[in-house]
Amino acid sequence: MAAPRPPRRPRVAPGEFPYDTKRTPPAPLLLLRVGLPQTEPATAVASLVDSGADITVLPEGLPETLGLPQIGEVAVRGVSDAVRRVPVYAAELKAAGWRGIVEVAGIGGESLLGRDVLNAWIVMLDGPRQTLRVKWD
């Protein structure tokens, strides 16, 4: 008897990415590659596409683990309305064929792709098809 086949992922076109259906409700995620500025990003991090995040966020501790250079601090306000200052790091990011050096913060346990990157792209969330579409000029 043959082993059961894993469920098929929906077919998507270039620049389209299926939502993470393990989340409730399903959510748009992109795989980021992160590394030191001006190097080939090698560390993969699944990141929630979050238009409510001002900047891109990596899980707390990851910027230090990767040796990213700290370039400043920023005041952040979470969902609890508490404000705190956190370090900001320079990172080389690669996602969906796009690549650039951006400022990232290390907060919490989840990676968020923020408006600092999203504002450089055309982004469409197709909820009924549970597909994220991205492109840039």
Side-chain angles (χ1 to χ4, degrees):
M1 182 159 143
R5 298 176 80 177
R8 298 187 104 201
R9 291 184 57 88
R11 288 189 174 263
V12 291
E16 290 189 356
F17 304 89
Y19 279 21
D20 178 2
T21 56
K22 293 179 184 137
R23 293 174 179 251
T24 304
L29 290 184
L30 270 181
L31 185 66
L32 296 184
R33 295 227 174 251
V34 184
L36 290 165
Q38 300 180 339
T39 66
E40 182 63 32
T43 301
V45 181
S47 297
L48 179 67
V49 175
D50 187 350
S51 64
D54 294 340
I55 65 172
T56 296
V57 172
L58 298 176
E60 199 161 349
L62 184 58
E64 294 90 348
T65 300
L66 296 176
L68 300 180
Q70 183 177 342
I71 57 173
E73 287 188 337
V74 64
V76 297
R77 180 184 316 266
V79 292
S80 67
D81 242 8
V83 176
R84 66 178 177 139
R85 296 196 67 74
V86 298
V88 173
Y89 304 87
E92 186 91 21
L93 291 186
K94 192 174 180 181
W98 177 91
R99 185 173 174 166
I101 297 175
V102 301
E103 296 179 357
V104 298
I107 310 167
E110 181 169 40
S111 180
L112 306 174
L113 186 60
R115 286 191 319 275
D116 58 328
V117 174
L118 296 175
N119 282 346
W121 299 354
I122 299 168
V123 179
M124 182 178 158
L125 303 178
D126 185 343
R129 288 188 54 221
Q130 296 184 355
T131 302
L132 164 70
R133 292 188 193 119
V134 295
K135 69 178 186 174
W136 54 92
D137 293 330

